[in-house]
Amino acid sequence: MRTGVTVRHSPDCAIFLNANNFAMGSLLALSEGMRTLGMLLTLLAVVPQATIDQKLAAPEGTTIVAAQVTGFDIDRLSPGLREEIRSLAGTPLKQQRLDELAARIEAERPRHVAAVRTVMEPDGQARVMFVVGRSGESDPDDNVNARYIVEEAELTGVPEAEVSQALRDELQGLVGKRLDSGDADRLQERIENELPNYEVSRRIRRGSERGRIRLLYEARKRELPSWLRFESLRSNALFHSEQGWGTYLDLGIGDRNIRFTPIVAWDYADDLVEEYSGYGLRFETRKLGTRRLGASLEYSWFDTDWRTPTLGALTFKPEVPRPYTSRSTITPLLKFALSPALNVAAGVSISELEPLFPESASRMANAAVASIAFGQRWKDGSHATHNAEASFGVRAGSRQLESDLAYTRYLGQGSYRYDLGRHHVQATGMAGAITGHAPLFERFTLGDSSTLRGWDKYAIAPAGGDRVIYSSIEYRYTGLALFLDVGSVWDENSERKVRVSTGFGFHAGPAFFVVGFPLNTDNLSAIVTMGLRIPGTGIRW
Amino acid sequence: MVTPARHVVVVLLAMLAWPAVRSSAQGLTIDTAGDALKIRAPGFSFLKGEPLARLKDGRTVRVELSGLVLPGPGKSPAAAARRIFALSYDLWEERFAVTTVEARPQSVSHLAQTAVEAWCVDHLTIPLAALGVLGREQQFWIRLEYRFVDSDGVSDQPDPGYTLQALIDVLSRRRKTEASPHALEAGPFRTPARRSSRR
């Protein structure tokens, strides 16, 4: 049996009780009639009536456009419950499920009652509101210490000047009375609201004599959010039907401000012209005295292999620097945050390239590195999440840095991601150019597991290119993805050909399986990529 | 002669085996009382770590106990019973108190930690009628779970996102029952006739 009540306002203020449209949680289902009615009226006072009075309750099966909690800060619910409420968006309305969630809100917050209200939006979708209000004052206190008298109530960790007189009065108002957990909860909420920069905890201690207790609120200044980000982790193990297997593992180990990242790669060819195997270590700090300033230092050594098409293409491109048998790089960088969303980085990248043919000497590819990056994530009223990122970087190899190769490489990238329940849309784009004689690891490629899926990079531009332009759009519904990729990679003095591909993919946790088809070609053959992507693997101490 | 490497292997194996040893030490039996199936789990402890510290700070901790009847180990439950308990710790008596969170609450106080945990398990009953779905004489397993329902610092929900542990969980072939640290599962049992059935 489902328990529920709907209250409709009419000109004569009659109240109708309807068991189908207004579902209540377990506490309502169990509690006495009169108290329930009183709570209901309290709850309804919380609902923005003017906006929903004229709207009909949504029927079973209607797609939920958004789910929200009113009358209570959703962040005070457990993460699991918050996630379950938010993930209702995009799913069909099931009253029983909503009732269960309301019951869970009440279970987590026993001094509150929760009701579910669903309304039809003009577009035929349903909006779900969990209306939460405080239950009656007559609730028995379930804390055994409620029989003791509070002899002292104290707030510590906050300078006197930051505490209002009203708050102090309220604190003192608890002294001399028996402990009331409800009052103590309310006061804690009040302190948290008045002092948003502090985390407040509460504890009770024995008082000076038996039967008396001390109520202690302890405030601790919240740690300010970091303005600088660590380098993105991108561990993956991939299979590409034309390029074979490759693995790149990076494991972040550290705390909030410092991170060490060991890196290992085996036969990895997904991002560069070369296929490389080797190791590296990156150290990063995102707080050097201030959260605006950070630094990183990365060392890596990779043994390189070259595909036959690449070596073949290079014989026709004498202007491109020769391939190498190994590459070791050290990259110190300083990072500065202009704002939480915008930061800049500068440093040098010193690379030594061991020649493929022993008779040649090793070559240095030393470059000054500078970049600016923007990243912002926000939510809108419909609980959709937006994530926008953009970056522009310059790498300039210079004789002044004792580089044997002089070049300049520019690369701009951007991405936007929209998430609403099970619907996800991602758009990405990039454009880049190289002037001078850049080493092969700097050259652009397209046609791998994440760009121009459906094409093989060793068929498009086996030696890479010094120009690139690319964009992609992908829609995902839970784990099913559809995409369209468009891009071109070419050399400045050669013909530019735009390639298009489309396809679909399945994503389940870290595992993915993608099939891409090249479109503007006579050779319509599918390319399959699959494997595991674990973008945030790490250990925090 | 035992090499240092062998020492390391033995210590590692002992560490890996420890959770299993602990788990098997927590026995679970069933009994009937009237029309209900009662679970007995003398070694089943859920008051530890952060929730216990919170209790010692004079706060109330709410825990939801679930008793699940499974047709086989690790299978979806055929029947379930859930109950929420509000626990607190008397600062002067240094004893625990517990109240069931429901319309007509039942309470008890002045209990030691093991006694209060046993009281909660003892008050989690599964109606015998619910076992009817399994059919007569069919074997079943019992799974006892707990989760803390307060959100102020005792949530047992992990943060979203990948961690090494999450990766191991995803890639491992272990059943969920073995992976969860908040559950105890035992069986097989047989549908009790009327009075008592032991493993």
Side-chain angles (χ1 to χ4, degrees):
Chain A
M1 189 188 97
R2 198 166 68 210
T3 308
V5 185
T6 291
V7 180
R8 294 195 185 114
H9 294 260
S10 62
D12 57 0
C13 295
I15 297 172
F16 299 93
L17 302 180
N18 177 323
N20 290 323
N21 298 334
F22 198 132
M24 298 294 294
S26 63
L27 194 128
L28 267 182
L30 295 168
S31 60
E32 307 83 356
M34 288 310 291
R35 211 186 82 191
T36 302
L37 188 58
M39 290 174 192
L40 263 177
L41 293 171
T42 308
L43 284 180
L44 287 165
V46 180
V47 185
Q49 287 296 320
T51 59
I52 59 174
D53 267 351
Q54 303 306 315
K55 296 183 177 177
L56 296 171
E60 196 87 350
T62 311
T63 301
I64 298 171
V65 66
Q68 62 193 88
V69 174
T70 63
F72 187 80
D73 181 5
I74 191 171
D75 289 334
R76 294 180 66 83
L77 299 175
S78 66
L81 183 52
R82 285 200 306 259
E83 183 57 30
E84 286 197 45
I85 292 171
R86 285 173 177 151
S87 65
L88 286 172
T91 64
L93 189 151
K94 289 179 184 162
Q95 193 64 51
Q96 189 183 349
R97 176 81 188 116
L98 302 182
D99 292 349
E100 286 169 5
L101 288 173
R104 281 187 57 189
I105 293 172
E106 290 178 354
E108 288 197 4
R109 291 286 159 182
R111 290 173 196 288
H112 294 75
V113 285
V116 183
R117 186 137 197 190
T118 60
V119 290
M120 286 294 285
E121 292 291 303
D123 59 1
Q125 293 189 305
R127 181 175 292 274
V128 173
M129 279 175 286
F130 292 91
V131 189
V132 182
R134 278 198 170 275
S135 59
E137 295 292 322
S138 59
D139 273 1
D141 200 318
D142 49 27
N143 191 317
V144 70
N145 298 296
R147 58 198 172 125
Y148 298 134
I149 302 289
V150 178
E151 71 170 20
E152 182 186 357
E154 191 185 359
L155 172 60
T156 59
V158 192
E160 284 277 313
E162 291 187 41
V163 183
S164 70
Q165 188 59 46
L167 196 56
R168 271 182 237 161
D169 291 345
E170 210 164 320
L171 206 55
Q172 286 312 304
L174 299 177
V175 176
K177 297 177 186 166
R178 290 188 194 282
L179 174 71
D180 183 315
S181 298
D183 285 347
D185 278 346
R186 270 188 285 279
L187 183 56
Q188 183 166 344
E189 283 176 26
R190 174 93 207 278
I191 295 169
E192 285 166 347
N193 289 338
E194 191 166 307
L195 304 167
N197 294 330
Y198 290 85
E199 284 175 13
V200 182
S201 62
R202 187 174 93 224
R203 64 180 65 196
I204 304 166
R205 290 285 176 259
R206 285 181 178 183
S208 58
E209 59 184 88
R210 192 171 182 84
R212 292 182 175 271
I213 52 174
R214 293 158 56 223
L215 183 56
L216 307 174
Y217 291 96
E218 292 172 347
R220 203 173 55 188
K221 196 110 181 168
R222 279 184 204 278
E223 212 167 338
L224 296 169
S226 297
W227 281 23
L228 287 166
R229 295 180 190 187
F230 288 128
E231 196 72 28
S232 298
L233 298 175
R234 57 183 180 109
S235 285
N236 59 70
L238 306 169
F239 171 77
H240 188 288
S241 57
E242 298 295 319
Q243 296 163 18
W245 282 98
T247 305
Y248 185 98
L249 298 175
D250 50 1
L251 179 71
I253 304 167
D255 63 10
R256 184 180 157 82
N257 292 320
I258 290 176
R259 195 173 77 177
F260 291 90
T261 309
I263 301 164
V264 180
W266 286 284
D267 300 336
Y268 197 71
D270 201 52
D271 53 353
L272 301 179
V273 174
E274 69 204 41
E275 180 181 297
Y276 56 97
S277 302
Y279 55 85
L281 180 66
R282 183 168 58 236
F283 166 76
E284 295 167 272
T285 172
R286 51 181 184 179
K287 190 174 180 184
L288 279 175
T290 162
R291 60 182 171 155
R292 284 179 180 271
L293 190 62
S296 74
L297 178 65
E298 179 175 331
Y299 169 78
S300 61
W301 179 90
F302 294 113
D303 182 59
T304 53
D305 275 324
W306 303 93
R307 302 289 173 100
T308 307
T310 304
L311 294 174
L314 285 173
T315 58
F316 297 103
K317 294 179 182 289
E319 72 281 8
V320 177
R322 300 296 87 198
Y324 37 87
T325 188
S326 70
R327 161 170 67 88
S328 62
T329 305
I330 187 160
T331 310
L333 286 176
L334 267 181
K335 299 178 180 180
F336 183 76
L338 301 168
S339 74
L342 191 66
N343 62 71
V344 293
V348 290
S349 169
I350 300 162
S351 297
E352 184 173 3
L353 311 175
E354 290 296 329
L356 197 58
F357 308 107
E359 59 271 22
S360 317
S362 67
R363 304 183 90 181
M364 301 301 293
N366 303 336
V369 180
S371 66
I372 182 164
F374 168 84
Q376 181 103 38
R377 186 183 165 93
W378 71 97
K379 291 185 175 181
D380 62 24
S382 63
H383 286 286
T385 306
H386 307 258
N387 192 19
E389 291 181 5
S391 66
F392 179 74
V394 180
R395 297 169 63 90
S398 164
R399 307 276 180 209
Q400 289 168 326
L401 293 170
E402 299 183 13
S403 176
D404 296 314
L405 302 168
Y407 65 95
T408 308
R409 180 186 196 263
Y410 308 91
L411 179 64
Q413 298 180 89
S415 73
Y416 167 76
R417 185 180 166 115
Y418 174 86
D419 299 298
L420 178 62
R422 298 180 181 189
H423 303 273
H424 312 277
V425 178
Q426 178 154 357
T428 57
M430 71 170 170
I434 294 172
T435 59
H437 298 282
L440 280 161
F441 68 83
E442 297 277 30
R443 288 172 66 79
F444 303 115
T445 63
L446 292 176
D448 47 49
S449 73
S450 53
T451 62
L452 268 188
R453 293 158 284 185
W455 291 90
D456 172 23
K457 68 175 159 193
Y458 296 112
I460 298 172
D466 58 22
R467 298 288 186 275
V468 69
I469 187 158
Y470 174 74
S471 67
S472 168
I473 187 153
E474 177 168 322
Y475 167 75
R476 281 192 200 177
Y477 179 76
T478 57
L480 179 64
L482 295 170
F483 62 84
L484 180 70
D485 297 346
V486 183
S488 180
V489 57
W490 74 102
D491 278 324
E492 187 187 7
N493 297 319
S494 65
E495 185 193 358
R496 177 184 155 198
K497 184 175 179 186
V498 175
R499 291 177 169 86
V500 184
S501 67
T502 187
F504 59 89
F506 301 98
H507 300 260
F512 72 96
F513 177 86
V514 173
V515 182
F517 303 93
L519 287 183
N520 49 344
T521 176
D522 296 334
N523 180 21
L524 188 65
S525 59
I527 282 188
V528 174
T529 52
M530 61 182 177
L532 298 170
R533 281 202 185 98
I534 307 129
T537 307
I539 299 169
R540 288 192 74 166
W541 60 56
Chain B
M1 186 180 146
V2 180
T3 63
R6 188 170 292 179
H7 272 303
V8 172
V9 170
V10 168
V11 169
L12 282 173
L13 286 174
M15 287 168 69
L16 289 169
W18 176 240
V21 172
R22 274 183 64 201
S23 178
S24 63
Q26 296 179 334
L28 190 155
T29 57
I30 58 168
D31 201 352
T32 52
D35 293 330
L37 185 75
K38 287 204 161 203
I39 299 169
R40 311 270 183 223
F44 186 65
S45 177
F46 49 85
L47 291 180
K48 48 200 167 193
E50 183 74 25
L52 184 59
R54 190 174 153 94
L55 283 166
K56 298 281 174 84
D57 279 341
R59 306 291 303 270
T60 304
V61 166
R62 288 175 187 81
V63 63
E64 182 187 69
L65 289 191
S66 306
L68 310 174
V69 180
L70 316 173
K75 295 204 168 156
S76 299
R82 291 188 171 80
R83 212 164 184 190
I84 295 177
F85 302 89
L87 296 114
S88 56
Y89 178 75
D90 191 317
L91 293 170
W92 280 105
E93 306 283 348
E94 296 186 333
R95 283 285 186 272
F96 291 85
V98 58
T99 302
T100 57
V101 180
E102 54 199 13
R104 291 195 175 84
Q106 293 173 270
S107 300
V108 66
S109 61
H110 296 85
L111 296 180
Q113 184 180 333
T114 49
V116 78
E117 288 169 327
W119 191 91
C120 292
V121 175
D122 199 44
H123 282 72
L124 184 70
T125 54
I126 303 168
L128 282 178
L131 301 181
V133 295
L134 293 170
R136 285 182 76 84
E137 293 302 311
Q138 187 179 331
Q139 291 183 338
F140 63 91
W141 273 251
I142 292 286
R143 181 173 163 82
L144 183 60
E145 288 180 348
Y146 70 90
R147 82 180 174 95
F148 292 97
V149 294
D150 296 76
S151 61
D152 294 344
V154 290
S155 168
D156 52 1
Q157 301 280 350
D159 285 336
Y162 294 113
T163 62
L164 192 62
Q165 182 60 49
L167 176 64
I168 291 166
D169 287 347
V170 165
L171 298 178
S172 72
R173 297 168 64 98
R174 289 183 304 178
R175 295 196 314 270
K176 273 189 175 178
T177 52
E178 293 165 347
S180 169
H182 298 338
L184 177 63
E185 192 175 305
F189 301 103
R190 286 198 180 277
T191 315
R194 186 67 187 171
R195 179 71 208 167
S196 87
S197 165
R198 259 171 204 276
R199 196 180 160 189

